[in-house]
Structure formats: C-alpha cells, structure tokens
Amino acid sequence: MKKTQLIILLLLPITIFGQSKFNVEAHGSSLLIKSDAGLAYGAGIGYQASSRINLVLGYLNGTIDSDFIDDDYSINKYYFNVDYRFNKENSKFGIASIMGFSYMDFDEKLNLNDGNGFGMDLGANTFITQNENFEYGFKLISTFNSESPGAILETGLYVKYKF
C-alpha cells in the first residue's frame, strides 16, 4: 500500500502540472565495483531547468557477483544529478556531462564499517533524440564513494520520455 501511495505522490504532480519541462527515464546498466561485476536497473524523474540543463532525481538497484566474498551482494543508489548538454537543444544527436551527488546502501554481506555513504557522480552521456518527446542513449558514470569496497563504474543504455 505504501508503494502505491508513493507512486501516486510522485506521478500526481506530473499529471496535474504536466508541462514539457518534466521527464522520466529508465535505464539498464552494467555495474563494476573493483573487480566485481553485475547488472543494475533504475529510473529517474527529471526537470528541464533550461535548454541545456536537466535536473534528475533517481534510484538504481543492482546485484553484483563477487569473487572476493564468493557470493552475490546488492547495492542501492539514490542520486541527484545535473546533466549539462553541450550542443543545441534542437540537434538530433547530443552529448552531455553528468555531475551530482549520491547516497549508496551496500549489502551487509560486505562487512563494511557503516554499509552506506554519500558520494559524488561524474560522467557523460551520448544520446539520440527520436522526436521532441523521446530520447535514448548511452550513459557512463563513475561514482566516488567513501564506503565503497572499490571504484564504481556504471555503463548502460537509457530511455527518456519528455512530457
């Protein structure tokens, strides 16, 4: 019931005030942490602050296959990113830089001191604009986190729909 209420609270303002400035995105990624690898998926809600700046609030969930602990472990990432588009808005192809902050929650199997912590995201994405509402592309993000067992690299495809 709480998940349904949360979805309604998130989607209701978008439908009531549905302007062309709001967007939603979904992505599937390959997640690399030190020498461990796994798959992740996520979603985000964005706001187009200007023709070049997009603010994104999102969530990522992944399962990592680890040789170090001989078991799989999960990771959750909550992030706030700012995407800055380098070329003009009406261009069909584009590239954007990504900078933001994240909060990561690691599985208890890793035996970390705290198990969660704040970090910083830096990356880039390349994309193709299919029409004025639909966009898809490739995303590459490196996350620097104080509690992580190693370097974190996220690479994958994403789809964005603009309202």
Side-chain angles (χ1 to χ4, degrees), residues 1 12 20 48 54 76 80-81 89 100 109 158:
M1 185 66 183
L12 189 61
S20 63
Q48 194 72 36
N54 186 38
N76 293 309
F80 173 73
N81 287 341
E89 185 180 16
K109 295 177 188 176
Y158 77 96

Side-chain angles (χ1 to χ4, degrees), residues 93-157:
F93 300 100
I95 187 166
S97 67
I98 299 170
M99 187 181 93
F101 299 99
S102 61
Y103 178 80
M104 298 187 86
D105 183 23
F106 296 97
D107 200 333
E108 294 176 1
K109 295 177 188 176
L110 290 175
N111 294 325
L112 299 174
N113 291 337
D114 190 10
N116 49 35
F118 288 98
M120 184 173 169
D121 296 339
L122 294 173
N125 63 2
T126 58
F127 53 88
I128 298 171
T129 303
Q130 195 66 22
N131 57 34
E132 71 179 48
N133 292 339
F134 184 69
E135 175 181 300
Y136 60 92
F138 177 77
K139 198 180 273 196
L140 175 71
I141 299 175
S142 179
T143 301
F144 305 97
N145 188 292
S146 60
E147 294 295 323
S148 173
I152 302 169
L153 183 65
E154 173 189 345
T155 61
L157 302 174

Side-chain angles (χ1 to χ4, degrees), residues 30-99:
S30 156
L31 198 60
L32 306 170
I33 299 178
K34 203 172 179 177
S35 62
D36 301 339
L39 297 176
Y41 62 91
I45 297 174
Y47 179 75
Q48 194 72 36
S50 72
S51 63
R52 293 185 183 230
I53 297 174
N54 186 38
L55 308 173
V56 181
L57 183 64
Y59 171 75
L60 176 83
N61 181 359
T63 302
I64 309 297
D65 181 31
S66 176
D67 293 334
F68 180 68
I69 61 171
D70 293 327
D71 198 3
D72 293 349
Y73 62 91
S74 64
I75 184 173
N76 293 309
K77 176 181 172 183
Y78 308 91
Y79 61 89
F80 173 73
N81 287 341
V82 178
D83 300 352
Y84 180 80
R85 184 179 180 141
F86 290 115
N87 57 348
K88 294 182 181 179
E89 185 180 16
N90 57 3
S91 175
K92 185 174 181 174
F93 300 100
I95 187 166
S97 67
I98 299 170
M99 187 181 93

Side-chain angles (χ1 to χ4, degrees), residues 6-28:
L6 180 63
I7 291 172
I8 290 171
L9 286 174
L10 290 175
L11 293 179
L12 189 61
I14 291 173
T15 56
I16 291 174
F17 302 107
Q19 304 174 12
S20 63
K21 294 189 177 242
F22 290 102
N23 55 66
V24 292
E25 67 179 43
H27 51 89

